[in-house]
Amino acid sequence: MTLPIDSRLDAIRDALERHPRALLVAEPGAGKTTRVPLALLETPWAREGRLLLLEPRRVAARLAAGFMAESLGETVGETVGYRMRGESRVGPSTRLEVVTQGVLTRMLQDDPMLEGVAGVIFDEFHERSLEADLGLALALDAQQGLREELRLLVMSATLDVDALLGVLGAATPVIDCPGRSFPVETRYRALNSREEVPRQQATALLEALEAQAGDALVILPGVAEIRRLARELAGRAPALVVMELHGRLPLDAQRRALRPDVEGRRRVVLATAIAESSVTVDGVRLVVDAGQERVPVFQPRSGLTRLETRRVNRASADQRRGRAGRQGPGLCVRLWAEEQPLIPHGEPEIMQADLSPLAFELARWGIREPDRLAWVTPPPAAALAAGRELLVRLGVLDEAFLLTERGRASVRWPTHPRLAAMLEGAAELEARPLACALVALLEGRALDEERDLEQALKVRLEAPRAHRQWQRDAERLARLAGVALRVASLAPLGELLALAYPERIAQQLAPGRFRLASGGLAILPESHPLAHVELLVAAELDGQASGARIFRAVALSRARIEALYPGCREWRASLEWSDEQGRLVGEQVRGLGAVVLARRPLARLPPEAVRAALVEALRRRGLPPDDDLLQLRGRVALLRRTLGDEWPDWSEASLLEILEDWLGPHLDGITRLEVVERLPLARLLLDSLAWPLRSRLDALVPVRLAVPSGASHRLDYSPCLEDDKPPVLAVKLQECFGWQASPCVADGRVAVLLHLLSPARRPLQVTADLASFWANGYPAVRREMRGRYPKHPWPEDPMTAEATARTKRRP
């Protein structure tokens, strides 16, 4: 069967023959996933090595490998194989490996040269997973520094070409390929929140099947939703051939779901988002879209990345709709209201994820400054800093963000750095089997409804075959650890969790109220068995900044905390702001973060500790109310927005971040915030401005402005702290007679917004175009005001009249 991509294969081969990198933009249905890799196998540069094809999902990797192997008349593991975490089907003759994205990162870390690999193909790059972004950044670094001959091909149905050319190079060839599609009618059918969802989904599907020929594809967010709809259809339409398509199925079942029924019966394929872009389901002319997707989202309550169900974005919805028009005119039924707003695109995962795994991989790669790599979307600085801070706390990185001995040992564990640190530390507790069982439980998808970790582990350890996925994951980790999965005792459970979650060790303040080592508050119902223990470690919180609810926790003893973290035995000065006393209160403490195991009086307050405590108290409270400071910040904000980044960012968040730099040196001897508030904050901040900028400040953004009456008035720059807002000058209208045009600041680039006032100082007009006001607005103001204020001048021609600050005419 001929596919649209076939007409572009020569161009792709030629592009990669001439250039080490290329972009392929191929619309859905073009056939890029299975045709392009096979076509590249026989190119001269690929004959001496293997090709890697990266797929974002395990099911797509298996299916793509199976389809390509079958097209060669072979089985998977011969010319074409696949590899993913915990599963591999490759052989000595394998030349094309379909791998999931995390596998490429591990391969690059183990061998930056990628010996034996001729090229890497990034498929479905538009999904912008964190692992795909990292994999491309590392592959580009390896190509530029070690393997100039390594070929990289990035392909997708939709790509931000300009952004990718920015990292791949402007000379990178771009190949476009149209898809193959027919007209698709779109209908909307919103669900009723008071009725069972599977019943409504089944009704919508059965009605659409009467209106549209061909097989049906129903796209649902997950396996649980697929199973519920399958049961509903079995009871209402037993004659339909209902098939499932998701990652938990065996490969043969996945492949059967892609093909028409051998007996010609009509099929309904219930699929996850894998059917959105990664695979093609043959025979489909009807798509029913539930309008939801499961995406990886960092969850503060667990400290891990989990799948979250949310409304689909518009780009994904359009991809799904297109599935109905691959082989003929089709119909798409969307199970939401037509007026329901959808966000245009999904956000790159790097912008919303926990970046501690990324920080760990960068340290392994030997990168301290992330901008040394080429990123399509650079990692956000704050999120990366938070990730690094966690790794330092775990003992995986040192203060210079380099791998520690524990960090180097943690490399072997294919899991989150938190859990890798736990697995490494478990050896000292002689609890590796328990750690393997616990990690498999924490990473699994079946834990959501189980609140008691200890009980959940007991159930699985007593009946492992009833929890096969957990058993497979735990045994795989045990094999890697070189131990048998035989757990003698659950006693070390608290210590293991403390290794992974040191910032969540918590101390009781009152029954059910706990102070976390990180400083936050956490709560349990007073009836909870752990509500009265002195110390515990929380494995899962709800992520609230204060008063976070504890969902899963285990009790912990003082002795075990001190054994795990010997630094707890050292005395340190502790200073806290007391709202009751209105000052800093100091003492010496031993403990872990905000968890205090012992305390004693502090004879003298160290100046540097006082300064640090004051700065922290100010950060919590925010900048003191100070109009001079507000005006200065507004002036500089206007210049930064107008003239560029040479002017500093003096937003409140930025100034609080750098408090030590501009305010810290002036806090010596101060222990009360009320004294800080009396400091000349605007002058202190101005003193921190570099002299070349300070010398230009008053000329560019003057504090006062002269008006035609001869007086000068203060400009209000506080609105400039908001985007695109100009400064404001409030002045009586009579003082502006003769002013031909609105005044400007910032080297004539920004017009001042005039608030023209009545003699009673009430606004008559707000304008940034004074000439237009004199010509068009003033006559109406004059007619109304001259009767109300007859003793004040209201000339017919304000452009030639004498400006005056007086409120009455001279006799």
Side-chain angles (χ1 to χ4, degrees):
M1 179 176 64
T2 301
L3 293 173
I5 196 67
D6 294 336
S7 65
R8 300 293 193 273
L9 293 179
D10 286 341
I12 298 168
R13 283 189 285 250
D14 181 61
L16 287 171
E17 188 67 40
R18 296 181 292 103
H19 200 281
R21 297 181 289 277
L23 297 182
L24 171 60
V25 183
E27 294 179 8
K32 65 184 182 305
T33 299
T34 55
R35 293 289 174 92
V36 172
L38 292 178
L40 295 178
L41 274 182
E42 299 308 316
T43 55
W45 54 266
R47 286 175 187 155
E48 300 302 320
R50 309 188 320 277
L51 293 181
L52 302 180
L53 171 64
L54 269 72
E55 289 295 331
R57 299 180 180 87
R58 297 165 68 95
V59 60
R62 291 193 192 98
L63 290 170
F67 186 89
M68 288 187 286
E70 184 178 345
S71 70
L72 296 175
E74 299 177 353
T75 59
V76 174
E78 296 182 61
T79 302
V80 181
Y82 66 78
R83 191 186 306 191
M84 57 195 69
R85 192 173 78 174
E87 186 178 352
S88 177
R89 290 188 63 182
V90 296
S93 61
T94 300
R95 296 188 53 227
L96 172 58
E97 289 186 27
V98 187
V99 301
T100 48
Q101 293 165 342
V103 170
L104 174 66
T105 301
R106 185 163 288 270
M107 292 175 70
L108 280 162
Q109 295 282 18
D110 292 341
D111 175 18
M113 291 284 292
L114 280 183
E115 292 285 357
V117 175
V120 182
I121 306 169
F122 294 80
D123 194 18
E124 307 297 355
F125 194 79
H126 71 278
E127 295 193 10
R128 298 298 308 281
S129 73
L130 178 59
E131 289 179 329
D133 277 18
L134 174 61
L136 180 59
L138 296 184
L140 284 168
D141 197 44
Q143 184 191 58
Q144 293 166 359
L146 300 170
R147 290 278 312 279
E148 293 182 357
E149 77 282 6
L150 180 70
R151 265 47 173 203
L152 302 177
L153 174 62
V154 180
M155 59 185 196
S156 173
T158 56
L159 280 178
D160 186 343
V161 173
D162 291 338
L164 276 161
L165 289 179
V167 297
L168 299 179
T172 301
V174 180
I175 301 99
D176 287 299
C177 180
R180 185 177 58 188
S181 61
F182 294 86
V184 176
E185 179 188 356
T186 304
R187 299 178 186 174
Y188 291 85
R189 182 179 178 133
L191 301 186
N192 189 330
S193 60
R194 294 187 296 273
E195 298 180 21
E196 292 185 6
V197 171
R199 179 176 294 276
Q200 295 181 79
Q201 290 173 337
T203 299
L205 170 64
L206 295 175
E207 291 177 357
L209 284 169
E210 294 179 1
Q212 177 63 49
D215 292 339
L217 172 65
V218 184
I219 303 180
L220 298 160
V223 176
E225 292 82 359
I226 286 175
R227 299 273 166 81
R228 285 195 286 267
L229 181 54
R231 287 194 295 269
E232 183 71 25
L233 291 173
R236 295 177 59 180
L240 279 177
V241 178
V242 178
M243 310 189 76
E244 299 181 8
L245 179 59
H246 52 77
R248 298 188 193 176
L249 292 174
L251 178 59
D252 288 345
Q254 293 172 352
R255 294 172 66 182
R256 282 196 301 273
L258 300 182
R259 297 170 177 167
D261 182 67
V262 292
E263 298 178 13
R265 295 173 296 178
R266 201 169 190 190
R267 296 182 311 145
V268 172
V269 179
L270 309 180
T272 59
I274 179 62
E276 179 183 311
S277 60
S278 299
V279 299
T280 296
V281 185
D282 207 11
V284 166
R285 301 275 296 280
L286 166 64
V287 167
V288 177
D289 183 2
Q292 294 178 313
E293 60 183 347
R294 288 228 166 94
V295 294
V297 174
F298 174 59
Q299 296 185 327
R301 61 187 274 181
S302 67
L304 300 173
T305 296
R306 293 272 184 93
L307 294 175
E308 181 177 287
T309 302
R310 59 173 55 172
R311 188 168 295 281
V312 73
N313 61 73
R314 189 183 306 128
S316 292
D318 291 342
Q319 286 262 60
R320 296 176 178 191
R321 176 182 177 276
R323 292 280 151 174
R326 293 287 181 86
Q327 297 172 325
L331 170 65
C332 175
V333 178
R334 291 174 166 173
L335 301 182
W336 65 86
E338 185 171 4
E339 62 272 15
Q340 172 68 51
L342 301 179
I343 61 172
H345 300 279
E347 190 175 36
E349 188 183 355
I350 200 169
M351 298 300 296
Q352 58 187 353
D354 166 26
L355 294 191
S356 55
L358 177 68
F360 183 61
E361 297 297 343
L362 292 179
R364 288 185 64 191
W365 195 251
I367 292 289
R368 295 179 62 182
E369 301 299 330
D371 57 9
R372 283 183 51 197
L373 297 177
W375 301 93
V376 181
T377 300
L384 183 61
R388 283 174 161 171
E389 181 183 344
L390 172 62
L391 297 182
V392 171
R393 192 181 295 122
L394 293 170
V396 172
L397 296 186
D398 61 21
E399 296 294 338
F401 308 135
L402 301 176
L403 288 175
T404 61
E405 184 178 348
R406 172 166 287 187
R408 289 188 290 273
S410 298
V411 162
R412 62 175 168 148
W413 303 106
T415 186
H416 192 283
R418 280 188 186 273
L419 305 182
M422 177 209 293
L423 287 161
E424 274 306 307
E428 300 172 14
L429 301 173
E430 298 182 353
R432 273 270 171 82
L434 176 59
C436 294
L438 178 57
V439 169
L441 179 66
L442 292 172
E443 286 195 320
R445 300 178 183 176
L447 186 59
D448 293 341
E449 298 177 1
E450 300 177 74
R451 295 299 180 202
D452 191 320
L453 278 176
E454 188 170 354
Q455 182 60 31
L457 275 173
K458 282 182 179 177
V459 168
R460 284 160 175 76
L461 290 167
E462 290 171 359
R465 293 187 178 181
H467 304 85
R468 297 303 298 270
Q469 186 60 52
W470 167 85
Q471 183 186 28
R472 283 192 292 268
D473 293 343
E475 288 180 343
R476 175 173 53 84
L477 290 169
R479 285 193 300 272
L480 195 58
V483 299
L485 193 63
R486 290 195 293 269
V487 177
S489 169
L490 297 183
L493 187 58
E495 289 101 299
L496 290 175
L497 288 172
L499 289 170
Y501 300 97
E503 80 282 12
R504 297 185 186 179
I505 295 173
Q507 184 174 38
Q508 187 200 133
L509 302 175
R513 288 178 55 81
F514 293 84
R515 172 81 70 188
L516 297 166
S518 61
L521 293 175
I523 58 175
L524 276 173
E526 286 192 39
S527 59
H528 195 282
L530 294 176
H532 298 270
V533 302
E534 180 191 8
L535 296 161
L536 57 76
V537 55
E540 191 167 342
L541 303 167
D542 67 2
Q544 297 297 317
S546 62
R549 290 184 299 158
I550 299 173
F551 288 98
R552 297 186 181 93
V554 177
L556 202 58
S557 70
R558 285 174 175 249
R560 295 316 304 164
I561 293 177
E562 291 181 350
L564 290 172
Y565 298 100
C568 291
R569 303 190 185 101
E570 299 176 3
W571 291 97
R572 55 185 168 84
S574 172
L575 292 172
E576 290 187 357
W577 177 260
S578 170
D579 286 323
E580 294 179 0
Q581 301 181 44
R583 64 184 182 88
L584 292 172
V585 178
E587 60 184 351
Q588 278 194 317
V589 299
R590 287 195 303 106
L592 184 68
V595 170
V596 177
L597 303 178
R599 63 180 79 235
R600 66 188 185 190
L602 185 64
R604 174 179 169 272
L605 300 182
E608 64 279 2
V610 172
R611 189 162 51 248
L614 272 175
V615 165
E616 188 56 36
L618 283 167
R619 283 197 177 118
R620 289 198 302 270
R621 290 191 165 202
L623 293 174
D626 184 302
D627 187 62
D628 289 342
L629 180 62
L630 193 70
Q631 294 298 324
L632 175 60
R633 290 175 50 219
R635 295 166 72 195
V636 172
L638 176 64
L639 293 176
R640 179 178 173 84
R641 186 166 66 241
T642 307
L643 302 182
D645 292 347
E646 64 173 330
W647 293 91
D649 176 8
W650 278 355
S651 62
E652 180 166 7
S654 177
L655 289 181
L656 290 174
E657 184 68 26
I658 60 171
L659 271 175
E660 292 94 340
D661 300 331
W662 67 275
L663 186 58
H666 307 283
L667 297 179
D668 289 345
I670 297 177
T671 60
R672 296 178 179 273
L673 282 181
E674 61 188 35
V675 178
V676 176
E677 293 175 354
R678 291 199 296 269
L679 292 174
L681 298 175
R683 181 176 62 76
L684 299 181
L685 180 59
L686 186 60
D687 287 344
S688 71
L689 189 64
W691 174 250
L693 298 180
R694 185 172 177 178
S695 64
R696 298 162 55 199
L697 182 68
D698 288 341
L700 289 170
V701 280
V703 175
R704 304 182 69 86
L705 198 65
V707 298
S709 68
S712 70
H713 297 280
R714 192 181 187 200
L715 282 162
D716 181 7
Y717 287 94
S718 61
C720 301
L721 290 169
E722 300 181 34
D723 287 344
D724 299 326
K725 293 290 183 66
V728 170
L729 178 66
V731 58
K732 288 184 180 180
L733 184 148
Q734 281 80 7
E735 293 193 64
C736 299
F737 291 154
W739 222 346
Q740 301 293 320
S742 296
C744 294
V745 295
D747 206 16
R749 302 186 188 199
V750 178
V752 172
L753 187 65
L754 294 173
H755 286 203
L756 300 175
L757 309 179
S758 72
R761 302 199 66 82
R762 292 189 175 88
L764 293 174
Q765 184 75 26
V766 175
T767 181
D769 188 349
L770 192 58
S772 176
F773 167 70
W774 292 136
N776 304 306
Y778 175 73
V781 170
R782 177 176 180 267
R783 282 195 301 272
E784 181 180 353
M785 290 295 107
R786 63 189 297 199
R788 186 176 302 180
Y789 300 103
K791 295 183 179 181
H792 297 78
W794 301 98
E796 288 189 20
D797 184 3
M799 304 287 283
T800 59
E802 180 183 359
T804 177
R806 296 177 179 273
T807 58
K808 295 182 179 180
R809 291 192 179 120
R810 296 179 181 179

